Amino acid sequence: MHTTRTPIIPVEISCWRLRYASSSIAGGVVSQPFFETHFGLVNSDGSINKSKDIQVSSNVVSVLQAGAFFGALGSAPVSSMPLHAMSQA
């Protein structure tokens, strides 16, 4: 019988995809024409107002980073809760 071993990959290495995916989604949303017109980033001549664009982009990045920070802090207490006891009813 032939068995194959699945390599054990550390979480620090395997989670890089999720971090870059969320950053690229946020950057992609900010650059969409609907987002730019809805938040008033387009001037009357059709060009992008760079100062507003930078301000809104930095706010999006700040909210993304704050969510990651507080999510990391909140994950330890949540993961230590005995949630498996609720599933064994």
Side-chain angles (χ1 to χ4, degrees):
M1 178 166 72
H2 184 327
T3 60
T4 57
R5 297 179 71 195
T6 304
I8 298 172
I9 301 171
V11 176
E12 295 83 10
I13 295 173
S14 63
C15 287
W16 67 270
R17 293 181 190 137
L18 181 61
R19 183 175 69 231
Y20 289 118
S22 63
S23 296
S24 63
I25 289 171
V29 169
V30 172
S31 66
Q32 293 296 316
F34 177 78
F35 184 89
E36 291 172 342
T37 55
H38 184 72
F39 285 95
L41 304 178
V42 181
N43 294 328
S44 59
D45 62 353
S47 64
I48 301 296
N49 186 339
K50 290 295 181 184
S51 64
K52 284 185 180 179
D53 184 41
I54 292 170
Q55 184 179 17
V56 169
S57 297
S58 65
N59 287 341
V60 168
V61 170
S62 298
V63 169
L64 179 67
Q65 292 295 322
F69 178 76
F70 289 112
L73 288 178
S75 66
V78 171
S79 65
S80 66
M81 289 179 178
L83 295 176
H84 66 279
M86 287 191 284
S87 65
Q88 299 174 357

Coordinates of all heavy atoms in Angstrom, one line a residue:
M1 N 0.8 -1.2 0.0 CA 0.0 0.0 0.0 C 0.9 1.2 0.0 O 1.8 1.4 0.8 CB -0.9 0.0 1.2 CG -1.8 1.2 1.4 SD -3.1 1.0 2.5 CE -2.2 1.1 4.1
H2 N 0.6 2.2 -0.9 CA 1.4 3.4 -1.0 C 0.6 4.5 -0.3 O -0.5 4.8 -0.6 CB 1.5 3.7 -2.5 CG 2.4 4.9 -2.7 ND1 2.5 6.0 -1.9 CD2 3.3 5.2 -3.8 CE1 3.3 6.9 -2.4 NE2 3.8 6.4 -3.5
T3 N 1.3 5.2 0.6 CA 0.7 6.4 1.2 C 1.5 7.6 0.9 O 2.7 7.6 0.8 CB 0.6 6.2 2.8 OG1 2.0 6.0 3.2 CG2 -0.2 5.0 3.2
T4 N 0.8 8.7 0.7 CA 1.4 9.9 0.5 C 1.2 10.8 1.7 O 0.1 10.8 2.3 CB 0.8 10.7 -0.7 OG1 -0.5 10.8 -0.6 CG2 1.1 9.9 -2.0
R5 N 2.2 11.5 2.1 CA 2.1 12.4 3.2 C 1.8 13.8 2.8 O 2.4 14.3 1.9 CB 3.5 12.3 4.0 CG 3.8 11.0 4.6 CD 5.1 11.0 5.3 NE 5.0 11.7 6.5 CZ 6.0 12.1 7.2 NH1 7.2 11.9 6.8 NH2 5.8 12.8 8.3
T6 N 0.9 14.4 3.4 CA 0.6 15.8 3.2 C 1.5 16.7 3.9 O 1.7 16.5 5.2 CB -0.9 16.1 3.6 OG1 -1.7 15.2 3.0 CG2 -1.2 17.5 3.2
P7 N 2.2 17.6 3.2 CA 3.2 18.4 4.0 C 2.4 19.4 4.9 O 1.3 19.9 4.6 CB 3.9 19.2 2.9 CG 2.9 19.1 1.7 CD 2.2 17.9 1.8
I8 N 3.0 19.6 6.1 CA 2.4 20.5 7.0 C 2.9 21.9 6.7 O 4.1 22.1 6.8 CB 2.6 20.1 8.5 CG1 2.0 18.7 8.7 CG2 2.1 21.1 9.4 CD1 2.4 18.1 10.0
I9 N 2.0 22.8 6.4 CA 2.5 24.2 6.1 C 2.1 25.1 7.2 O 0.9 25.1 7.7 CB 1.8 24.6 4.8 CG1 2.2 23.7 3.6 CG2 2.2 26.1 4.5 CD1 1.4 24.0 2.4
P10 N 3.0 25.8 7.8 CA 2.7 26.7 8.9 C 1.6 27.8 8.5 O 1.6 28.2 7.3 CB 4.0 27.4 9.2 CG 5.1 26.6 8.6 CD 4.4 25.9 7.4
V11 N 0.8 28.2 9.4 CA -0.2 29.1 9.2 C 0.3 30.5 8.7 O -0.3 31.1 7.9 CB -1.1 29.3 10.5 CG1 -2.1 30.4 10.3 CG2 -1.7 28.0 10.9
E12 N 1.5 30.8 9.2 CA 2.1 32.1 8.8 C 2.4 32.2 7.3 O 2.4 33.2 6.7 CB 3.4 32.4 9.5 CG 3.3 32.5 11.0 CD 3.2 31.2 11.8 OE1 3.5 30.1 11.2 OE2 2.9 31.2 13.0
I13 N 2.7 31.0 6.7 CA 3.0 31.0 5.3 C 1.7 30.9 4.5 O 1.5 31.5 3.4 CB 3.9 29.8 5.0 CG1 5.3 30.0 5.6 CG2 4.1 29.6 3.5 CD1 6.2 28.8 5.5
S14 N 0.7 30.1 4.9 CA -0.5 29.8 4.2 C -1.5 31.0 4.2 O -2.3 31.1 3.3 CB -1.2 28.6 4.6 OG -1.6 28.7 5.9
C15 N -1.4 31.9 5.2 CA -2.4 33.0 5.3 C -2.0 34.2 4.5 O -2.7 35.2 4.4 CB -2.5 33.4 6.7 SG -3.5 32.2 7.7
W16 N -0.8 34.2 3.8 CA -0.4 35.4 3.0 C -1.4 35.6 1.9 O -1.6 36.7 1.5 CB 1.0 35.2 2.5 CG 1.1 34.1 1.4 CD1 1.4 32.8 1.7 CD2 1.0 34.3 0.0 NE1 1.4 32.1 0.5 CE2 1.2 33.0 -0.5 CE3 0.6 35.3 -0.8 CZ2 1.1 32.8 -1.9 CZ3 0.5 35.1 -2.2 CH2 0.8 33.8 -2.7
R17 N -2.0 34.6 1.4 CA -3.0 34.7 0.3 C -4.2 35.5 0.7 O -4.7 36.4 -0.1 CB -3.4 33.3 -0.2 CG -2.4 32.6 -0.9 CD -2.9 31.2 -1.4 NE -1.8 30.4 -1.8 CZ -1.6 29.1 -1.5 NH1 -2.6 28.5 -0.8 NH2 -0.6 28.5 -1.9
L18 N -4.7 35.3 1.9 CA -5.9 36.0 2.4 C -5.5 37.5 2.6 O -6.3 38.3 2.2 CB -6.4 35.4 3.7 CG -7.6 36.0 4.3 CD1 -8.8 35.9 3.3 CD2 -7.9 35.3 5.6
R19 N -4.4 37.8 3.1 CA -4.0 39.2 3.4 C -3.9 39.9 2.1 O -4.4 41.0 1.9 CB -2.7 39.2 4.1 CG -2.3 40.6 4.5 CD -1.0 40.7 5.3 NE 0.1 40.3 4.6 CZ 1.0 39.4 5.0 NH1 0.9 38.8 6.1 NH2 2.0 39.1 4.2
Y20 N -3.2 39.4 1.1 CA -3.1 40.1 -0.2 C -4.4 40.1 -1.0 O -4.6 41.1 -1.7 CB -1.9 39.5 -1.0 CG -0.6 39.7 -0.4 CD1 0.2 38.7 0.0 CD2 -0.1 41.0 -0.3 CE1 1.5 39.0 0.6 CE2 1.1 41.3 0.3 CZ 1.9 40.3 0.7 OH 3.1 40.6 1.2
A21 N -5.2 39.1 -0.8 CA -6.5 39.1 -1.5 C -7.4 40.3 -1.0 O -8.0 41.0 -1.8 CB -7.2 37.8 -1.4
S22 N -7.4 40.5 0.3 CA -8.3 41.5 0.9 C -7.7 42.9 0.5 O -8.5 43.8 0.2 CB -8.4 41.4 2.4 OG -7.1 41.5 3.0
S23 N -6.4 43.0 0.4 CA -5.8 44.3 0.0 C -6.1 44.6 -1.4 O -6.4 45.8 -1.8 CB -4.3 44.3 0.3 OG -4.0 44.2 1.6
S24 N -6.0 43.6 -2.3 CA -6.3 43.8 -3.7 C -7.7 44.1 -4.0 O -8.1 44.9 -4.9 CB -5.8 42.7 -4.5 OG -6.5 41.5 -4.2
I25 N -8.6 43.5 -3.2 CA -10.1 43.8 -3.4 C -10.4 45.2 -3.0 O -11.1 45.9 -3.7 CB -10.9 42.8 -2.5 CG1 -10.8 41.4 -3.2 CG2 -12.3 43.2 -2.4 CD1 -11.4 40.3 -2.3
A26 N -9.8 45.7 -1.9 CA -10.0 47.0 -1.4 C -9.5 48.0 -2.5 O -10.1 49.0 -2.8 CB -9.4 47.3 -0.1
G27 N -8.3 47.8 -3.0 CA -7.7 48.6 -4.0 C -8.5 48.6 -5.3 O -8.7 49.6 -6.0
G28 N -9.1 47.4 -5.6 CA -9.9 47.3 -6.8 C -11.2 48.1 -6.7 O -11.7 48.7 -7.7
V29 N -11.8 48.0 -5.6 CA -13.1 48.7 -5.4 C -12.9 50.2 -5.4 O -13.7 51.0 -6.1 CB -13.7 48.3 -4.0 CG1 -14.8 49.2 -3.7 CG2 -14.1 46.9 -4.0
V30 N -11.8 50.7 -4.8 CA -11.5 52.2 -4.9 C -11.3 52.7 -6.3 O -11.6 53.8 -6.6 CB -10.3 52.5 -3.9 CG1 -9.9 53.9 -4.0 CG2 -10.7 52.2 -2.5
S31 N -10.7 51.9 -7.1 CA -10.4 52.4 -8.5 C -11.6 52.2 -9.5 O -11.4 52.6 -10.6 CB -9.2 51.6 -9.0 OG -9.5 50.2 -9.2
Q32 N -12.7 51.7 -9.1 CA -13.8 51.5 -10.0 C -14.5 52.8 -10.3 O -14.6 53.7 -9.4 CB -14.9 50.5 -9.3 CG -14.4 49.1 -9.2 CD -14.1 48.5 -10.5 OE1 -14.9 48.6 -11.5 NE2 -13.0 47.8 -10.6
P33 N -15.0 53.0 -11.5 CA -15.6 54.3 -11.9 C -16.8 54.6 -11.1 O -17.1 55.8 -10.7 CB -16.0 54.1 -13.4 CG -15.1 53.0 -13.9 CD -14.8 52.1 -12.7
F34 N -17.6 53.6 -10.7 CA -18.8 53.9 -9.9 C -18.4 54.4 -8.5 O -19.1 55.3 -8.0 CB -19.7 52.6 -9.7 CG -20.9 52.8 -8.9 CD1 -22.0 53.4 -9.3 CD2 -20.8 52.3 -7.5 CE1 -23.1 53.6 -8.5 CE2 -21.9 52.5 -6.7 CZ -23.0 53.2 -7.2
F35 N -17.4 53.8 -7.9 CA -16.9 54.3 -6.6 C -16.4 55.7 -6.7 O -16.7 56.5 -5.9 CB -15.8 53.3 -6.1 CG -15.4 53.7 -4.7 CD1 -16.0 53.1 -3.6 CD2 -14.3 54.5 -4.5 CE1 -15.5 53.4 -2.3 CE2 -13.9 54.9 -3.2 CZ -14.5 54.3 -2.2
E36 N -15.7 56.0 -7.8 CA -15.1 57.3 -7.9 C -16.2 58.4 -8.1 O -16.1 59.5 -7.6 CB -14.2 57.4 -9.1 CG -12.9 56.6 -8.8 CD -12.0 56.4 -10.1 OE1 -12.5 56.6 -11.2 OE2 -10.8 56.1 -9.9
T37 N -17.2 58.1 -8.9 CA -18.3 59.1 -9.1 C -19.2 59.2 -7.9 O -19.7 60.3 -7.5 CB -19.2 58.7 -10.3 OG1 -19.7 57.4 -10.2 CG2 -18.4 58.8 -11.6
H38 N -19.5 58.1 -7.2 CA -20.3 58.1 -6.0 C -19.8 58.9 -4.9 O -20.5 59.5 -4.2 CB -20.6 56.6 -5.6 CG -21.6 56.5 -4.5 ND1 -22.9 56.8 -4.6 CD2 -21.4 56.2 -3.2 CE1 -23.6 56.6 -3.5 NE2 -22.6 56.3 -2.5
F39 N -18.5 58.8 -4.7 CA -17.8 59.5 -3.6 C -17.2 60.9 -4.0 O -16.5 61.5 -3.3 CB -16.7 58.7 -3.0 CG -17.3 57.6 -2.1 CD1 -17.5 56.3 -2.6 CD2 -17.6 57.8 -0.8 CE1 -18.0 55.3 -1.8 CE2 -18.1 56.8 0.0 CZ -18.3 55.6 -0.5
G40 N -17.6 61.3 -5.2 CA -17.2 62.7 -5.7 C -15.7 62.8 -6.0 O -15.2 63.9 -5.7
L41 N -15.1 61.8 -6.5 CA -13.7 61.9 -6.8 C -13.4 62.4 -8.3 O -12.3 62.6 -8.6 CB -13.0 60.5 -6.6 CG -13.2 59.9 -5.2 CD1 -12.5 58.6 -5.2 CD2 -12.6 60.8 -4.2
V42 N -14.5 62.5 -9.0 CA -14.4 62.9 -10.4 C -14.7 64.4 -10.5 O -15.8 64.9 -10.1 CB -15.3 62.1 -11.3 CG1 -15.2 62.5 -12.8 CG2 -15.0 60.6 -11.2
N43 N -13.8 65.2 -11.2 CA -14.1 66.6 -11.4 C -15.1 66.8 -12.5 O -15.5 65.8 -13.2 CB -12.8 67.3 -11.8 CG -11.8 67.3 -10.7 OD1 -12.2 67.4 -9.5 ND2 -10.5 67.3 -11.0
S44 N -15.5 68.0 -12.7 CA -16.5 68.3 -13.8 C -16.0 68.1 -15.2 O -16.8 67.8 -16.1 CB -17.0 69.8 -13.6 OG -15.9 70.6 -13.8
D45 N -14.7 68.1 -15.4 CA -14.1 67.9 -16.7 C -13.8 66.4 -16.9 O -13.3 66.0 -18.0 CB -12.9 68.7 -16.9 CG -11.7 68.3 -15.9 OD1 -12.0 67.6 -15.0 OD2 -10.6 68.9 -16.1
G46 N -14.2 65.5 -15.9 CA -14.0 64.1 -16.1 C -12.7 63.5 -15.5 O -12.4 62.3 -15.5
S47 N -11.8 64.4 -15.1 CA -10.5 64.0 -14.5 C -10.7 63.6 -13.0 O -11.7 64.0 -12.4 CB -9.4 65.0 -14.6 OG -9.8 66.2 -13.9
I48 N -9.8 62.9 -12.5 CA -9.9 62.5 -11.1 C -9.3 63.6 -10.2 O -8.2 64.0 -10.5 CB -9.1 61.1 -10.9 CG1 -9.7 60.0 -11.7 CG2 -9.1 60.7 -9.4 CD1 -11.2 59.7 -11.4
N49 N -10.0 63.9 -9.1 CA -9.4 64.9 -8.1 C -8.4 64.1 -7.3 O -8.8 63.3 -6.4 CB -10.6 65.4 -7.3 CG -10.1 66.5 -6.4 OD1 -9.0 66.6 -6.0 ND2 -11.1 67.3 -6.0
K50 N -7.2 64.4 -7.5 CA -6.1 63.6 -6.8 C -6.1 63.7 -5.3 O -5.9 62.7 -4.6 CB -4.7 64.0 -7.4 CG -4.5 63.5 -8.8 CD -4.5 62.0 -8.9 CE -4.2 61.5 -10.3 NZ -4.3 60.1 -10.4
S51 N -6.4 64.9 -4.8 CA -6.3 65.1 -3.3 C -7.5 64.3 -2.7 O -7.2 63.6 -1.6 CB -6.4 66.6 -3.0 OG -7.6 67.1 -3.4
K52 N -8.7 64.3 -3.2 CA -9.8 63.5 -2.7 C -9.5 62.1 -2.8 O -9.8 61.3 -2.0 CB -11.1 63.9 -3.4 CG -11.7 65.2 -2.9 CD -13.0 65.4 -3.5 CE -13.7 66.7 -3.1 NZ -15.0 66.9 -3.8
D53 N -9.0 61.7 -4.0 CA -8.7 60.3 -4.3 C -7.7 59.7 -3.2 O -7.9 58.6 -2.7 CB -8.1 60.1 -5.7 CG -7.9 58.7 -6.1 OD1 -8.8 57.8 -5.7 OD2 -6.9 58.4 -6.7
I54 N -6.6 60.5 -2.9 CA -5.6 60.0 -2.0 C -6.3 60.0 -0.6 O -6.0 59.0 0.2 CB -4.4 61.0 -2.0 CG1 -3.7 60.8 -3.3 CG2 -3.5 60.7 -0.8 CD1 -2.6 61.8 -3.6
Q55 N -7.1 60.9 -0.2 CA -7.7 60.9 1.1 C -8.7 59.7 1.3 O -8.6 59.0 2.3 CB -8.5 62.2 1.3 CG -9.1 62.4 2.6 CD -9.8 63.7 2.8 OE1 -10.2 64.3 1.8 NE2 -10.1 64.1 4.0
V56 N -9.5 59.5 0.3 CA -10.4 58.3 0.4 C -9.6 57.0 0.4 O -10.0 56.1 1.1 CB -11.5 58.4 -0.8 CG1 -12.3 57.1 -0.8 CG2 -12.4 59.6 -0.6
S57 N -8.6 56.9 -0.5 CA -7.8 55.7 -0.5 C -7.1 55.4 0.8 O -7.1 54.3 1.3 CB -6.8 55.7 -1.6 OG -7.4 55.8 -2.9
S58 N -6.6 56.5 1.4 CA -5.9 56.3 2.7 C -6.9 55.9 3.8 O -6.6 55.1 4.7 CB -5.2 57.5 3.1 OG -6.0 58.6 3.3
N59 N -8.2 56.4 3.7 CA -9.2 56.0 4.7 C -9.6 54.6 4.6 O -9.8 53.9 5.5 CB -10.4 56.9 4.6 CG -10.2 58.3 5.1 OD1 -9.3 58.6 5.9 ND2 -11.0 59.3 4.7
V60 N -9.7 54.1 3.3 CA -10.0 52.7 3.1 C -8.9 51.8 3.6 O -9.1 50.8 4.3 CB -10.2 52.4 1.6 CG1 -10.3 51.0 1.3 CG2 -11.5 53.1 1.1
V61 N -7.6 52.2 3.4 CA -6.5 51.4 3.9 C -6.5 51.4 5.5 O -6.2 50.4 6.1 CB -5.2 52.0 3.4 CG1 -4.0 51.3 4.1 CG2 -5.1 51.7 1.9
S62 N -6.8 52.6 6.1 CA -6.8 52.7 7.5 C -7.9 51.8 8.1 O -7.7 51.1 9.1 CB -7.1 54.1 7.9 OG -6.0 55.0 7.5
V63 N -9.1 51.8 7.5 CA -10.1 50.9 8.0 C -9.8 49.4 7.8 O -10.0 48.6 8.7 CB -11.5 51.2 7.3 CG1 -12.5 50.2 7.6 CG2 -11.9 52.6 7.7
L64 N -9.1 49.1 6.7 CA -8.7 47.7 6.5 C -7.6 47.3 7.6 O -7.7 46.2 8.1 CB -8.1 47.6 5.1 CG -7.6 46.2 4.7 CD1 -8.7 45.2 4.6 CD2 -6.8 46.3 3.4
Q65 N -6.7 48.2 7.8 CA -5.7 47.9 8.8 C -6.3 47.8 10.2 O -5.9 47.0 11.1 CB -4.6 48.9 8.8 CG -3.7 48.9 7.5 CD -3.0 47.6 7.4 OE1 -2.5 47.1 8.4 NE2 -2.9 47.1 6.2
A66 N -7.2 48.7 10.6 CA -7.9 48.6 11.9 C -8.7 47.3 12.0 O -8.6 46.7 13.1 CB -8.8 49.9 12.1
G67 N -9.3 46.9 11.0 CA -10.1 45.7 11.1 C -9.1 44.5 11.3 O -9.4 43.6 12.1
A68 N -8.0 44.5 10.6 CA -7.0 43.4 10.8 C -6.4 43.4 12.2 O -6.3 42.4 12.9 CB -5.9 43.5 9.8
F69 N -6.2 44.6 12.7 CA -5.6 44.8 14.1 C -6.6 44.3 15.2 O -6.2 43.4 16.0 CB -5.2 46.2 14.3 CG -4.7 46.5 15.7 CD1 -3.4 46.1 16.0 CD2 -5.4 47.1 16.7 CE1 -2.9 46.3 17.3 CE2 -4.9 47.3 17.9 CZ -3.6 46.9 18.3
F70 N -7.8 44.8 15.1 CA -8.8 44.4 16.1 C -9.3 43.0 15.9 O -9.6 42.3 16.9 CB -9.9 45.4 16.2 CG -9.5 46.7 16.7 CD1 -9.5 47.8 15.9 CD2 -9.2 46.8 18.1 CE1 -9.1 49.1 16.5 CE2 -8.8 48.0 18.6 CZ -8.8 49.2 17.8
G71 N -9.2 42.5 14.7 CA -9.6 41.1 14.5 C -8.5 40.2 15.0 O -8.8 39.1 15.6
A72 N -7.3 40.6 15.0 CA -6.2 39.8 15.6 C -6.3 39.8 17.1 O -6.1 38.7 17.7 CB -4.8 40.3 15.1
L73 N -6.6 40.9 17.7 CA -6.8 41.0 19.1 C -8.0 40.2 19.6 O -8.0 39.6 20.7 CB -6.9 42.4 19.6 CG -5.6 43.3 19.5 CD1 -5.9 44.7 20.0 CD2 -4.5 42.7 20.3
G74 N -9.1 40.3 18.8 CA -10.3 39.6 19.3 C -10.3 38.1 19.0 O -11.1 37.4 19.5
S75 N -9.4 37.6 18.2 CA -9.4 36.2 17.8 C -9.0 35.3 19.0 O -9.5 34.2 19.1 CB -8.6 35.9 16.6 OG -7.2 36.1 16.9
A76 N -8.1 35.8 19.9 CA -7.6 35.0 21.0 C -8.7 34.7 22.0 O -8.9 33.5 22.3 CB -6.4 35.6 21.6
P77 N -9.4 35.7 22.5 CA -10.5 35.3 23.4 C -11.6 34.5 22.8 O -12.2 33.6 23.4 CB -11.1 36.7 23.8 CG -10.1 37.7 23.5 CD -9.3 37.1 22.3
V78 N -11.9 34.7 21.5 CA -13.0 34.0 20.9 C -12.6 32.5 20.7 O -13.4 31.6 20.9 CB -13.4 34.6 19.6 CG1 -14.3 33.7 18.8 CG2 -14.1 36.0 19.8
S79 N -11.3 32.3 20.3 CA -10.9 30.9 20.0 C -10.7 30.1 21.3 O -10.7 28.9 21.3 CB -9.6 31.0 19.3 OG -8.5 31.5 20.0
S80 N -10.6 30.8 22.5 CA -10.4 30.1 23.7 C -11.8 29.7 24.3 O -11.8 29.0 25.3 CB -9.6 30.9 24.7 OG -10.3 32.1 25.1
M81 N -12.9 30.2 23.8 CA -14.2 29.9 24.3 C -14.5 28.4 24.0 O -14.2 27.9 23.0 CB -15.3 30.8 23.6 CG -15.2 32.2 24.1 SD -16.6 33.0 23.2 CE -16.4 34.6 23.8
P82 N -15.2 27.8 24.9 CA -15.5 26.4 24.7 C -16.8 26.2 23.8 O -17.8 25.8 24.3 CB -15.8 25.9 26.1 CG -16.2 27.1 26.9 CD -15.5 28.2 26.3
L83 N -16.6 26.5 22.6 CA -17.7 26.5 21.6 C -18.1 25.0 21.3 O -19.2 24.8 20.8 CB -17.4 27.3 20.4 CG -17.3 28.8 20.6 CD1 -16.9 29.4 19.3 CD2 -18.5 29.4 21.1
H84 N -17.2 24.1 21.4 CA -17.5 22.7 21.1 C -18.5 22.1 22.0 O -19.2 21.2 21.7 CB -16.2 21.9 21.1 CG -15.6 21.8 22.5 ND1 -14.8 22.7 23.0 CD2 -15.7 20.8 23.4 CE1 -14.4 22.4 24.2 NE2 -14.9 21.2 24.5
A85 N -18.7 22.7 23.2 CA -19.7 22.2 24.1 C -21.1 22.5 23.6 O -22.0 21.7 23.9 CB -19.5 22.8 25.5
M86 N -21.3 23.6 22.9 CA -22.6 23.9 22.4 C -23.0 23.0 21.3 O -24.2 22.7 21.1 CB -22.6 25.3 21.9 CG -22.6 26.3 23.0 SD -22.9 28.0 22.5 CE -21.4 28.5 21.8
S87 N -22.0 22.5 20.5 CA -22.4 21.6 19.4 C -22.7 20.2 19.9 O -23.3 19.4 19.1 CB -21.2 21.6 18.4 OG -20.1 21.0 19.0
Q88 N -22.4 19.8 21.1 CA -22.7 18.5 21.6 C -23.9 18.5 22.5 O -23.9 18.1 23.6 CB -21.5 17.9 22.4 CG -20.2 17.8 21.5 CD -19.0 17.4 22.4 OE1 -19.1 17.3 23.6 NE2 -17.9 17.3 21.7
A89 N -25.0 18.9 21.9 CA -26.2 19.0 22.7 C -27.0 17.8 22.7 O -26.9 16.8 22.1 CB -27.1 20.2 22.2

